[in-house]
């Protein structure tokens, strides 16, 4: 068994039980906080120096030591191989002491691992938010590119997964663009609350050294300092918010994935995935399976699980720090990894998607998607909408029995149902007209969609 490097030598005379040591340890997963913790440690060291708690010589030694650890982490492949460190914080401290000697033992003055870990988590989450925001933007771009390339293609719109009314394919793309726009906004709002410095709260009561916390915050790019030390060391709301925003992104991606999976089926046949993002079957030679999108749909469950893990871990925890909180990391890391992968893969899928114009338009022209246009036509002729709806319904029933679309009925047949119907009905029932009439803000008319695409591009370029 390895000699374990505890941070609490004095009070303890015996070694920890091996099984407990492993159970207690977070190093294997929290080493991802390495860079964040180094940054926090450098800032703390500068704070101690500015407050004259440590002298400039020690401060320089400590900062150089930390920087050199950062460099080693990049150049030495076995740098992180360590089976005795309890967590990344003790790993850094013990390696710093190894590197620079006694000056390293002064770094932990006036701080605790409680404010240290909270700080590192916030620095890490802030960078994760920036990464995810970039991934969201890239996916939004792919949606706009796809919409513009296929600007005049019409697809059926569905409610209850029953054909409802025809819409422009670009309008469908823009629907997902809007979901992602809200996701991006949410990430930006959360970032403000993540970006608050807990360092200086020490274990729970606040540091007893005259550290200028605002200066430390500014150095680390934080927008402010936490107002209450008890809260600051035990607050993981920012983790919950981050994972919650991630979960909602996954919800959106799973809906997009489901639409793509459906539309790639032979039954719908509106899309085809390129070989780059599909798989075949080991037995059925004809198959092209949308595994990429199925995995995105399936992985949403992991992120919802991460959110529930965090909420239940925090529920009823007494103030202030409790070791339960060590469980925050894997949930946050897993949510980030999953969402980031899913955003990237979905972007690639969209770049490898072809829209099958004929199939989409055939499907949009069959199945009475223009029945509402018929009712609207009658309403424009002065029939009350309720009556118009009833007349149109009867015409649909009649057409269904004859096995034809409404516009294939003769004018004389149509007039049996209402004398208000004239020759202009056929124009009104056409695919082009049914789209053009949806010209209020947010509608699927070509004008509105062009406008929306332009606005979306501008918003992205801002
Ligand atoms: N590994 C611990 C965590 O992630 C660091 C904080 C430990 N603090 C303590 N008082 N034991 O939460």
């Amino acid at each position: 068994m390895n000699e374990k490097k505890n941070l609490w030598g004095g009070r303890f005379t015996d070694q920890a039980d091996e099984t407990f040591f492993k159970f207690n340890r977070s190093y294997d997963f929290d080493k991802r906080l390495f860079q964040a913790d180094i940054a926090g440690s450098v800032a703390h060291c500068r704070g101690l120096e500015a407050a004259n708690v440590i002298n400039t010589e020690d401060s320089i030694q400590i900062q150089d030591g930390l920087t050199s650890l950062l460099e080693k982490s990049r150049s030495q492949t076995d740098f992180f191989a360590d089976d005795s460190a309890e967590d990344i914080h003790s790993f850094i401290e013990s390696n710093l002491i190894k590197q620079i000697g006694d000056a390293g033992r002064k770094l932990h003055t006036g701080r605790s691992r409680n404010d240290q870990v909270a700080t590192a988590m916030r620095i890490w989450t802030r960078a994760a938010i920036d990464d995810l925001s970039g991934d969201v933007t890239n996916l939004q771009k792919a949606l706009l590119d796809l919409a513009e390339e296929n600007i005049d293609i019409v697809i059926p719109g569905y409610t209850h997964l029953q054909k409802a009314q025809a819409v422009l394919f670009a309008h469908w793309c823009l629907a997902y663009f809007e979901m992602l726009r809200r996701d991006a906004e949410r990430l930006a709002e959360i970032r403000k609350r993540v970006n608050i410095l807990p360092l200086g709260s020490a274990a729970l009561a606040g540091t007893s050294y005259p550290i200028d916390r605002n200066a430390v915050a500014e150095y680390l790019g934080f927008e402010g300092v936490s107002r209450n030390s008890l809260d600051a060391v035990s607050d993981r709301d920012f983790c919950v918010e981050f994972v919650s925003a991630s979960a909602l992104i996954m919800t959106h991606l799973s809906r997009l994935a489901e639409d793509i999976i459906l539309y790639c089926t032979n039954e719908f046949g509106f899309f085809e995935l390129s070989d780059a993002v599909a798989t075949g079957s080991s037995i059925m030679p004809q198959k092209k399976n949308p595994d990429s999108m199925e995995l995105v749909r399936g992985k949403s469950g992991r992120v919802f699980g991460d959110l529930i893990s965090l909420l239940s871990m925090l529920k009823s925890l007494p103030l202030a720090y409790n070791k339960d909180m060590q469980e925050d990391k894997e949930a946050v890391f897993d949510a980030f990894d999953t969402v980031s992968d899913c955003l990237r893969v979905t972007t690639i899928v969209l770049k490898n998607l072809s829209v099958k114009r004929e199939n989409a338009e055939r499907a949009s022209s069959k199945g009475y998607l223009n029945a509402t246009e018929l009712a609207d036509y009658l309403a424009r002729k002065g029939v009350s909408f309720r009556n118009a709806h009833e007349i149109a319904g009867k015409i649909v029933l009649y057409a269904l029995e004859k096995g034809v679309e409404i516009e294939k009925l003769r004018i004389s047949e149509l007039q049996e149902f209402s004398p208000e119907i004239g020759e202009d009905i056929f124009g009104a029932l056409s695919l082009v007209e049914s789209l053009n009439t949806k010209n209020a803000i947010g509608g699927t008319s070509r004008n509105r969609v062009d406008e929306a695409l332009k606005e979306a591009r501008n918003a992205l370029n801002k």
Side-chain angles (χ1 to χ4, degrees):
M1 192 172 85
N2 269 300
E3 190 66 6
K4 276 148 310 197
K5 292 174 241 161
N6 281 335
L7 297 174
W8 48 83
R11 165 78 171 76
F12 283 66
T13 49
D14 285 339
Q15 286 284 310
D17 171 84
E18 179 75 20
T19 303
F20 166 65
F21 174 76
K22 283 189 183 141
F23 182 67
N24 194 37
R25 173 166 209 252
S26 53
Y27 177 73
D28 287 333
F29 51 86
D30 70 14
K31 56 183 171 220
R32 287 183 75 162
L33 294 176
F34 178 73
Q35 278 192 36
D37 198 66
I38 293 273
S41 294
V42 169
H44 179 64
C45 173
R46 293 167 63 106
L48 289 175
E49 181 194 345
N52 290 318
V53 179
I54 60 172
N55 64 34
T56 305
E57 202 183 311
D58 284 341
S59 169
I60 290 173
Q61 267 204 66
I62 292 171
Q63 291 184 57
D64 287 353
L66 290 168
T67 311
S68 110
L69 290 183
L70 200 57
E71 280 156 10
K72 280 188 186 164
S73 75
R74 294 186 178 127
S75 59
Q76 292 179 8
T77 45
D78 62 345
F79 179 75
F80 287 106
D82 186 325
D83 52 13
S84 62
E86 181 197 333
D87 58 22
I88 190 62
H89 320 291
S90 49
F91 173 84
I92 291 174
E93 192 174 328
S94 63
N95 276 284
L96 178 70
I97 294 166
K98 249 190 247 159
Q99 174 101 6
I100 66 168
D102 270 353
R105 307 181 80 89
K106 296 185 179 171
L107 174 60
H108 210 55
T109 318
R111 81 171 177 184
S112 148
R113 272 188 301 161
N114 299 349
D115 59 346
Q116 185 181 355
V117 70
T119 302
M121 266 314 263
R122 283 176 183 268
I123 294 174
W124 190 92
T125 305
R126 184 175 68 184
I129 287 176
D130 294 342
D131 273 10
L132 280 194
S133 304
D135 294 337
V136 169
T137 304
N138 288 337
L139 179 55
Q140 286 181 294
K141 275 192 192 130
L143 280 165
L144 294 186
D145 290 345
L146 196 62
E148 283 167 3
E149 284 156 23
N150 300 282
I151 186 64
D152 56 351
I153 294 186
V154 180
I155 61 169
Y158 295 85
T159 65
H160 313 266
L161 203 51
Q162 306 287 320
K163 282 183 181 177
Q165 291 184 292
V167 294
L168 282 177
F169 166 70
H171 200 54
W172 175 92
C173 293
L174 283 164
Y176 286 105
F177 182 94
E178 286 303 321
M179 297 181 211
L180 294 166
R181 189 201 302 253
R182 292 193 293 275
D183 289 327
E185 283 171 10
R186 231 179 318 271
L187 288 172
E189 283 155 17
I190 290 168
R191 194 184 192 282
K192 290 184 211 148
R193 276 185 296 278
V194 171
N195 209 17
I196 298 293
L197 179 78
L199 200 60
S201 303
L204 77 165
T207 186
S208 25
Y209 297 83
I211 294 170
D212 180 350
R213 294 188 62 212
N214 285 311
V216 175
E218 199 179 323
Y219 177 75
L220 284 170
F222 281 102
E223 281 165 49
V225 300
S226 55
R227 281 187 284 258
N228 179 289
S229 60
L230 280 173
D231 175 47
V233 291
S234 66
D235 171 20
R236 295 294 182 273
D237 293 2
F238 68 97
C239 298
V240 174
E241 286 195 75
F242 173 70
V243 175
S244 158
S246 300
L248 199 41
I249 295 176
M250 287 307 297
T251 299
H252 296 152
L253 293 184
S254 75
R255 296 185 70 177
L256 175 59
E258 174 69 3
D259 265 357
I260 293 176
I261 291 165
L262 273 176
Y263 296 173
C264 282
T265 59
N266 178 266
E267 288 78 0
F268 284 78
F270 311 152
F271 296 166
E272 184 167 353
L273 294 183
S274 86
D275 295 357
V277 288
T279 60
S281 155
S282 58
I283 174 168
M284 298 166 285
Q286 85 284 11
K287 294 275 275 182
K288 190 171 197 179
N289 295 327
D291 293 33
S292 46
M293 291 289 83
E294 292 168 80
L295 279 171
V296 167
R297 186 177 58 184
K299 282 177 190 286
S300 54
R302 298 173 68 107
V303 181
F304 303 166
D306 294 330
L307 179 58
I308 294 298
S309 298
L310 280 178
L311 288 169
S312 13
M313 178 274 283
L314 287 170
K315 181 188 172 294
S316 313
L317 277 189
L319 283 177
Y321 176 83
N322 298 271
K323 192 64 174 255
D324 312 47
M325 288 177 166
Q326 178 164 289
E327 292 289 311
D328 61 354
K329 290 170 200 69
E330 283 162 297
V332 170
F333 296 160
D334 180 70
F336 169 75
D337 291 342
T338 307
V339 179
S340 168
D341 283 353
C342 289
L343 283 165
R344 285 166 195 215
V345 165
T346 305
T347 303
I348 296 169
V349 165
L350 290 184
K351 289 184 174 164
N352 282 276
L353 185 88
S354 52
V355 187
K356 301 168 102 178
R357 176 188 299 274
E358 285 80 40
N359 289 352
E361 284 180 6
R362 195 175 325 116
S364 308
S365 317
K366 286 217 165 69
Y368 310 98
L369 289 93
N370 55 2
T372 310
E373 319 320 313
L374 175 56
D376 283 342
Y377 170 90
L378 289 165
R380 279 198 301 274
K381 298 269 169 173
V383 182
S384 71
F385 186 78
R386 263 304 137 237
N387 290 344
H389 184 284
E390 170 134 15
I391 295 166
K394 285 182 176 152
I395 294 177
V396 168
L397 196 61
Y398 176 77
L400 264 172
E401 277 159 7
K402 287 195 75 173
V404 295
E405 291 297 312
I406 303 173
E407 64 277 15
K408 291 290 180 294
L409 295 172
R410 284 191 306 278
I411 185 79
S412 56
E413 289 176 286
L414 289 167
Q415 283 168 341
E416 292 279 319
F417 293 91
S418 167
E420 309 295 335
I421 296 180
E423 280 291 344
D424 55 347
I425 183 65
F426 296 107
L429 291 176
S430 72
L431 207 46
V432 178
E433 234 349 74
S434 74
L435 290 167
N436 281 347
T437 48
K438 309 300 177 302
N439 204 28
I441 297 172
T444 194
S445 75
R446 177 62 193 271
N447 286 341
R448 288 299 183 185
V449 169
D450 281 343
E451 218 172 73
L453 280 172
K454 217 175 283 162
E455 186 282 331
R457 271 290 172 212
N458 286 339
L460 269 196
N461 292 336
K462 247 186 238 150

